[in-house]
Amino acid sequence: MPGGHTEALSRCCAATLHRTATVHEGDGPVTVPRLPAREDAERELSRPEYHQHDPSLVHRALDWLWNRLGDLLRTAADAAPGGSVGLTVLAFVLVLLLLALRLRLGSLRARPTTGSAALFTDRLRSAAEHRAAAASHAGADRWNPAVQERMRALVRSLEERALLDPRPGRTADEATDEAAADLPELAGQLRAAARVFDEVTYADRPADPTDYALLRDLDNALLRTRPTPPASRTPTAPTPHGWAV
């Protein structure tokens, strides 16, 4: 209420003077005690009609935060070389550094767990078909699909040679772990190849010629390897459905 507090104080003063004049009329000079006058003023100001237009608790909290932010910015401006202009320059430089860091690191997306999806996702194809597709992608500098197709060629070749049991839904990690059991001398390369495939396929990491060369060389090395599979392994013919290439 505009002027509410002033009006209240006027009323309190008038009431105090009236009470004093009534009680001491005809007497000499009277000194009004401060405590009763203050209590009268507090009672008057506590009445609801004087607080109808007070800001809400949220509004007061926001005002307090805004004031503290202003104090902080003023303090920073005083401390920064050049005052507010220097502070603006420092903020601009910080933004540029953050942008440069973002471009340098690439996607900040969290890398998913490796081997989270099946290796083969469409119709059954031979290792030779996957190798041909990989070579075509590599010739056009499409390194992501080139890496993926070469990994599929590698695993399909192991299945065709009965070094792995054909199994729908197998992941790259599962395939390389199983193959490493029979090919311990290539275990490190097999797991490295699976890691590259997972990062390119599921973590959106751009592949490059080095990644492709890793899988190509490993595929060729596996073709030259003639391990003896365990006698308990019985190859089964793959079905045309359910593969994850």
Side-chain angles (χ1 to χ4, degrees):
M1 177 182 297
H5 290 77
T6 302
E7 182 180 350
L9 291 173
S10 299
R11 289 181 183 179
C12 291
C13 291
T16 302
L17 290 175
H18 175 71
R19 184 174 67 248
T20 304
T22 302
V23 174
H24 300 283
E25 186 174 357
D27 296 339
V30 177
T31 301
V32 180
R34 293 183 179 180
L35 182 58
R38 186 176 65 182
E39 291 176 347
D40 288 343
E42 290 176 350
R43 280 194 297 271
E44 180 67 23
L45 293 175
S46 65
R47 295 170 59 180
E49 56 264 30
Y50 297 122
H51 301 279
Q52 294 177 357
H53 300 283
D54 288 351
S56 65
L57 180 61
V58 174
H59 192 179
R60 291 198 297 271
L62 291 176
D63 286 343
W64 183 87
L65 289 174
W66 183 256
N67 290 334
R68 299 293 78 73
L69 178 60
D71 294 341
L72 180 63
L73 291 176
R74 282 190 293 271
T75 301
D78 292 340
S84 58
V85 176
L87 181 62
T88 302
V89 172
L90 290 176
F92 182 70
V93 171
L94 178 61
V95 171
L96 291 180
L97 289 175
L98 291 175
L99 289 175
L101 182 62
R102 174 67 177 83
L103 294 174
R104 178 67 179 84
L105 295 179
S107 176
L108 300 181
R109 183 185 311 172
R111 289 169 55 182
T113 303
T114 58
S116 59
L119 177 63
F120 299 102
T121 58
D122 60 8
R123 69 177 181 84
L124 179 63
R125 290 186 289 176
S126 67
E129 289 177 298
H130 285 297
R131 288 191 187 98
S136 176
H137 288 305
D141 293 337
R142 295 188 297 266
W143 300 112
N144 278 36
V147 163
Q148 293 166 335
E149 288 298 321
R150 197 72 193 204
M151 184 68 191
R152 290 162 182 157
L154 184 156
V155 174
R156 183 69 77 215
S157 176
L158 293 174
E159 292 177 344
E160 291 174 349
R161 297 167 58 205
L163 298 178
L164 287 179
D165 294 334
R167 188 174 75 245
R170 174 186 275 126
T171 67
D173 291 280
E174 291 171 345
T176 53
D177 285 344
E178 293 173 22
D182 294 333
L183 302 165
E185 69 278 10
L186 295 175
Q189 293 171 261
L190 284 164
R191 294 190 176 97
R195 184 168 56 253
V196 168
F197 176 86
D198 290 337
E199 290 175 351
V200 169
T201 304
Y202 309 122
D204 294 334
R205 180 176 75 79
D208 55 35
T210 302
D211 296 323
Y212 179 73
L214 170 68
L215 274 80
R216 181 199 59 209
D217 295 345
L218 176 59
D219 186 23
N220 293 333
L222 289 170
L223 288 175
R224 296 191 298 268
T225 303
R226 294 288 184 269
T228 302
S232 59
R233 179 176 296 151
T234 304
T236 57
T239 60
H241 302 289
W243 294 102
V245 176

